Amino acid sequence: MTWISKTTTFFGLVLLAHACYSAQEHSALQSFRTTSAVNPSSPGTTAVSLPLDISLETLVATAIICFGLALGTPPLRPIQWRVWAGKIEREGEEGFMNADGEVSRDYVGNPFKMLETRPGFVDIRRQKKDFAEWVRSSGEKQEAQI
């Protein structure tokens, strides 16, 4: 997370803590009022809603926290393997650095590297090239001997 997102998230958490404290104090004051005032017409507890400013502060704090967390998220990775492999080939490790300049933990390199090496297949072109070079080199040796 960058310092902007951390600061925004911290500010939202402070606002949320203040809203929770205000709600608790309001609740405590309301319960104190109902127990100190004798009202025979209302037996039991009465439902008292929170003041509008506490409700709005809670909503704004939650929105600020969500915004701060969204600022700090890394860019989304491609879902398709071919797009992922293309990004790795184009950008390499530089494309997978986080805000701190470190390479991501999930960077493993090209996902198709095993397929590109083809350990179970024979490289016919290379064998043909090696054979042609061997024929040329053996022909030159025979000419040198004559």
Side-chain angles (χ1 to χ4, degrees), residues 25-39 46 48:
E25 284 295 314
H26 176 74
S27 173
L29 286 175
Q30 288 301 321
S31 66
F32 178 70
R33 263 190 215 146
T34 57
T35 57
S36 65
V38 177
N39 191 356
T46 59
V48 178

Side-chain angles (χ1 to χ4, degrees), residues 1 7 14 21 26 31-32 38 43 48 66 68 73 80 84 92 94 101 106 114 116 124-125 128-129 131 140 143-144:
M1 292 177 89
T7 305
V14 169
Y21 177 75
H26 176 74
S31 66
F32 178 70
V38 177
V48 178
C66 290
T73 59
Q80 299 171 336
W84 179 264
E94 290 83 26
D106 59 344
M114 187 65 174
E116 290 175 357
I124 303 253
R125 291 182 182 146
K128 182 179 177 182
K129 183 180 172 185
F131 180 74
E140 290 172 1
E143 290 177 6

Side-chain angles (χ1 to χ4, degrees), residues 16-135:
L16 187 62
H18 182 264
C20 291
Y21 177 75
S22 299
Q24 191 273 334
E25 284 295 314
H26 176 74
S27 173
L29 286 175
Q30 288 301 321
S31 66
F32 178 70
R33 263 190 215 146
T34 57
T35 57
S36 65
V38 177
N39 191 356
S41 64
S42 61
T45 60
T46 59
V48 178
S49 65
L50 286 175
L52 184 63
D53 63 335
I54 296 175
S55 301
L56 288 177
E57 184 180 13
T58 304
L59 291 174
V60 168
T62 304
I64 290 174
I65 290 171
C66 290
F67 179 70
L69 291 174
L71 276 178
T73 59
L76 296 175
R77 306 280 192 218
I79 294 175
Q80 299 171 336
W81 277 101
R82 62 182 177 82
V83 177
W84 179 264
K87 179 178 170 118
I88 290 172
E89 286 181 3
R90 281 189 311 275
E91 300 174 11
E93 288 185 355
E94 290 83 26
F96 296 93
M97 297 219 175
N98 57 17
D100 300 330
E102 299 172 355
V103 177
S104 256
R105 283 183 281 141
D106 59 344
Y107 177 75
V108 294
N110 188 352
F112 295 120
K113 190 174 185 177
M114 187 65 174
L115 294 175
E116 290 175 357
T117 58
R118 300 181 189 182
F121 293 98
V122 176
D123 190 358
I124 303 253
R125 291 182 182 146
R126 174 178 257 169
Q127 286 184 351
K128 182 179 177 182
K129 183 180 172 185
D130 291 344
F131 180 74
E133 288 177 11
W134 178 76
V135 168

